[in-house]
Amino acid sequence: MKDRCLRFVRLALLLMAVMMLASCRQDTDIDPIEAAPEVEPPSAESFQRSLEGLWSTEESEGDDAETLYLFEWQASGGLRVVRDGVWLNGTVEDVDLDNGTLALHVTSDSGPSETVTVRKVPDSTTEGAFTLRITWGGGQTEDLGFVRRLTARDREGVAEAIRAAGQDEGGPCETDAPAGSVRAALVCGHEEFGALDAGMRKQFKELADRYPDGDRTVAAATRQLDACDSPSCLRAAYAQWQAYFDENYDLGDVVDYQ
């Protein structure tokens, strides 16, 4: 009887050892590369996308309402910012990943143009969380806290603010860019690109009138400009073609493209 019990115990221990060995082998079959979560490397684009949402000043004085900021990222048009329903007609000049800052050059018909700095301030209590500090060209600052992510209605509000700003500027936008293209949106929505486009079109006309191959060159330049899908691409294309004109043709310099 005693020998039978010992045999049973040995059999049970052997079975447990086999099961544990099989479990260990299954764990070692997992590919560590496939199991690791995908982490997007930091980039200027990811930095701008991380700002998207509804933000507000964290303090208000008396009965004054807090100031609301809408940050919207679009792959075709870049970062768009609306402050209390008014579009900040701005172009991203620089993204400093090391210091967590973004420089936005804002143009205005009613006031001086200035560079606004947006800084991400890490939250010491929550990993990955942050607030924003806005520093205006004159030194004024605003501290912003996150309210919520954007809704479809918020995005419609951004588009409406941009349309309203365009109507305030008066008159239709003059450009040969196809309607609905990125180039048309930037030229009609940003003073910088409007000036670049107007100067380039003036040189296009002079080129076509004075040189036999002018029409072909204009067509090639126009195709490249219309193919751009971002502000940085369009800005670079204007600069490249201006450099090409300066080197190969005798045209008047209308705008500084650098």
Side-chain angles (χ1 to χ4, degrees), residues 96-155:
D96 185 347
L97 297 177
D98 293 332
N99 294 301
T101 62
L102 177 146
L104 184 73
H105 182 70
V106 177
T107 59
S108 173
D109 292 335
S110 58
S113 299
E114 57 185 314
T115 297
V116 180
T117 303
V118 182
R119 179 183 295 276
K120 295 172 70 171
V121 182
D123 188 336
S124 59
T125 61
T126 306
E127 183 179 0
F130 59 89
T131 58
L132 298 180
R133 166 159 287 192
I134 307 293
T135 303
W136 294 85
Q140 306 92 332
T141 62
E142 291 177 294
D143 292 320
L144 307 181
F146 183 76
V147 178
R148 56 174 168 77
R149 64 182 184 179
L150 298 185
T151 65
R153 189 180 298 275
D154 291 328
R155 298 183 189 279

Side-chain angles (χ1 to χ4, degrees), residues 40-242:
E40 180 182 10
S43 66
E45 179 177 322
S46 64
F47 184 97
Q48 295 178 66
R49 289 205 313 268
S50 70
L51 302 178
E52 184 172 273
L54 177 65
W55 299 76
S56 74
T57 50
E58 297 181 328
E59 296 180 0
S60 59
E61 299 180 0
D63 296 331
D64 293 338
E66 296 180 353
T67 302
L68 295 179
Y69 280 81
L70 281 171
F71 287 82
E72 182 190 43
W73 162 259
Q74 285 194 339
S76 60
L79 187 68
R80 308 198 295 186
V81 185
V82 173
R83 182 179 187 267
D84 275 349
V86 178
W87 177 43
L88 298 183
N89 184 359
T91 303
V92 175
E93 292 183 315
D94 179 64
V95 176
D96 185 347
L97 297 177
D98 293 332
N99 294 301
T101 62
L102 177 146
L104 184 73
H105 182 70
V106 177
T107 59
S108 173
D109 292 335
S110 58
S113 299
E114 57 185 314
T115 297
V116 180
T117 303
V118 182
R119 179 183 295 276
K120 295 172 70 171
V121 182
D123 188 336
S124 59
T125 61
T126 306
E127 183 179 0
F130 59 89
T131 58
L132 298 180
R133 166 159 287 192
I134 307 293
T135 303
W136 294 85
Q140 306 92 332
T141 62
E142 291 177 294
D143 292 320
L144 307 181
F146 183 76
V147 178
R148 56 174 168 77
R149 64 182 184 179
L150 298 185
T151 65
R153 189 180 298 275
D154 291 328
R155 298 183 189 279
E156 291 174 0
V158 174
E160 179 58 34
I162 294 175
R163 283 194 297 269
Q167 292 173 358
D168 291 341
E169 293 174 0
C173 174
E174 293 186 6
T175 180
D176 59 354
S181 65
V182 172
R183 178 183 165 210
L186 291 172
V187 168
C188 296
H190 295 264
E191 181 179 342
E192 173 198 2
F193 289 103
L196 292 176
D197 193 69
M200 183 65 74
R201 285 187 291 109
K202 186 172 183 179
Q203 291 195 327
F204 281 172
K205 184 178 186 308
E206 185 178 358
L207 183 65
D209 290 343
R210 292 177 54 190
Y211 292 90
D213 64 339
D215 289 337
R216 291 195 300 274
T217 304
V218 169
T222 301
R223 283 195 300 271
Q224 183 176 348
L225 294 172
D226 289 339
C228 282
D229 59 358
S230 68
S232 58
C233 171
L234 187 59
R235 189 181 293 109
Y238 282 125
Q240 290 168 4
W241 279 105
Q242 180 59 48

Side-chain angles (χ1 to χ4, degrees), residues 26-36:
Q26 289 178 359
D27 291 341
T28 57
D29 289 340
I30 298 177
D31 188 342
I33 297 178
E34 294 180 356

